[in-house]
Amino acid sequence: MTGPRKTTLPKRYQRLLDISRDLASTLDLEALLDRIVHAAAELTGAQEASILLYDQITKELHFEVATNMSQPMMRGIIVPLDGSIAGWIVANRQPVIIADTAQDQRHFVRVAQVTKVKTTCLLGVPLVTKDKVIGALEAINKRSGQFSEEDQDLLTALGAQAAVAIENARLFQQSDLISDLVHELRTPMASLSTAAHLLLRTDLPDEQRHRIVEIIHDETFRISDLASSFLDLARLESGRAQFRLETFDSRNLLEDCDGVMRSRALDKGLSFDLVIPSKLPEIKADRDKIKQVVLNLLSNAIKYNSSQGKVTLGASATAEELVITVSDTGAGLSPESLSHLFEKFYRAPGSEKLASGTGLGLSICKRIVEAHNGRITVKSEVGVGTLFTVYLPLKPGE
Ligand SMILES: Nc1ncnc2c1ncn2[C@@H]1O[C@H](COP(=O)(O)OP(=O)(O)OP(=O)(O)O)[C@@H](O)[C@H]1O
Ligand SMILES: [Mg+2]
């Protein structure tokens, strides 16, 4: 290649890196595809760029997004695997540069008819994740000159990043988590809708009106709790949660938790005991996240306790591990409930009457503890109480 182009190379690669990082943090498929095509056009100096995704079942390519098309217009376009450049790219898993598309037998004209953009030259790369081709990324009409090997390298690198990001976003969209959330939102939404409907009635006594406003207040809180817990869990499940490891005094952390929860327990007429040795080791972990675990366990021990019951926060340590225990004298859990306890959104029968909750707290705890290479166990006896134990390595392996 010529001299001036060489000098622009590092800058374009730097840009590629920035873009890749940006892509990795997007789980919204539509937004992601849009960013990819704009990045593709920018990086290769092309007029337009587009993505076609391969449907493994129908064995067809679907036009998904292009820099120059609005969504509804293109969604209808199915591109045949035989007789299109994109099809060739997908079938051969190879990039292609075509200097003059009019001369190429494989050129598929239907897209041009819809978009009214005439393709003169084209650069296309397959979108490949580790085991399969998921589609093709194409850039058309270089703004000046012809597509080069260097453009091809850049687009191939972008394609590899894009393919992984697309797969992630798709997995996320299909995950049970989303359908579970939608399901869980239905109940508070239905209460809100009923409440609003009732408030429209003019003949309602003030007292009832007041009660309905309280319900609206509670339900909106519940939705907002659900949203923040859900985001926590989604981040943990997708491996996107950030863990900031630091070395800290474990005794100090437990005292912090005591500081937050003791008054809550006393307010409910419960007693609260902190039973820890005078010296506990330092631990390397994400302090805020471990605190979140202990606080949720304590909050459960308070919420699901019996009247005048007892909450105990304890700890001990071995050379390798810190062991934290949270016990209560509440109603306990049946073997049946215990078997579902760490499932998302699970709440034991009758819990709703005792306290509100999302049923996500323990799922989040488990994820956090396991991310630290630790484990969490539970023992419970109906009518006696429940004991949660968290084992955390003092130094989590890399
Ligand atoms: N200490 C406990 N005693 C009795 N039941 C418990 C105890 N801890 C948890 N549970 C049961 O397990 C369920 C799930 O607990 P989890 O912490 O995941 O959710 P939650 O407390 O309902 O909601 P959130 O933690 O988001 O406020 C609870 O709803 C309750 O039924
Ligand atoms: Mg909880």
Side-chain angles (χ1 to χ4, degrees), residues 295-297 299-301 303-304 347 356-362 365:
L295 291 182
N296 181 57
L297 295 178
S299 136
N300 285 351
K303 287 200 292 188
Y304 309 113
R347 303 200 71 204
S356 66
T358 64
L360 290 175
L362 287 174
C365 288

Side-chain angles (χ1 to χ4, degrees), residues 4-176:
R5 187 158 291 167
K6 270 228 163 62
T7 60
T8 63
L9 182 88
K11 214 170 161 189
R12 289 165 84 195
Y13 273 89
Q14 183 53 48
R15 186 76 191 109
L16 173 67
L17 281 177
D18 291 344
I19 292 168
S20 304
R21 225 169 282 142
D22 180 46
L23 296 184
S25 65
T26 312
L27 281 174
D28 174 344
L29 188 59
E30 302 255 317
L32 179 68
L33 293 173
D34 202 57
R35 284 187 202 179
I36 296 168
V37 286
H38 283 98
E42 180 198 323
L43 283 173
T44 59
Q47 209 177 10
E48 313 292 352
S50 56
I51 288 178
L52 297 97
L53 292 181
Y54 181 57
D55 186 328
Q56 308 279 346
I57 295 163
T58 61
K59 308 269 179 246
E60 286 166 342
L61 276 165
H62 292 253
F63 227 91
E64 291 294 330
V65 66
T67 44
N68 59 321
M69 282 201 288
S70 62
Q71 301 272 342
M73 201 159 75
M74 20 174 278
R75 275 283 148 80
I77 308 179
I78 293 171
V79 178
L81 209 50
D82 294 328
S84 73
I85 296 169
W88 186 90
I89 295 169
V90 166
N92 293 279
R93 297 188 175 211
Q94 269 176 45
V96 63
I97 293 178
I98 296 169
D100 181 4
T101 42
Q103 300 300 313
D104 198 289
Q105 295 295 313
R106 296 164 297 189
H107 185 46
F108 182 65
V109 291
R110 197 45 229 301
V111 177
Q113 286 165 358
V114 176
T115 60
K116 311 236 168 16
V117 172
K118 192 176 177 307
T119 306
T120 52
C121 55
L122 181 150
L123 162 63
V125 299
L127 292 169
V128 192
T129 58
K130 43 179 191 320
D131 49 351
K132 58 179 192 284
V133 199
I134 62 163
L137 174 59
E138 293 181 343
I140 60 163
N141 303 351
K142 180 95 175 165
R143 286 184 192 277
S144 66
Q146 279 290 342
F147 288 115
S148 63
E149 290 274 320
E150 192 188 304
D151 292 331
Q152 182 178 310
D153 287 349
L154 275 159
L155 200 63
T156 302
L158 176 69
Q161 300 286 341
V164 175
I166 290 170
E167 279 292 271
N168 271 344
R170 278 173 159 180
L171 283 173
F172 186 72
Q173 276 193 339
Q174 295 159 359
S175 75
D176 294 345

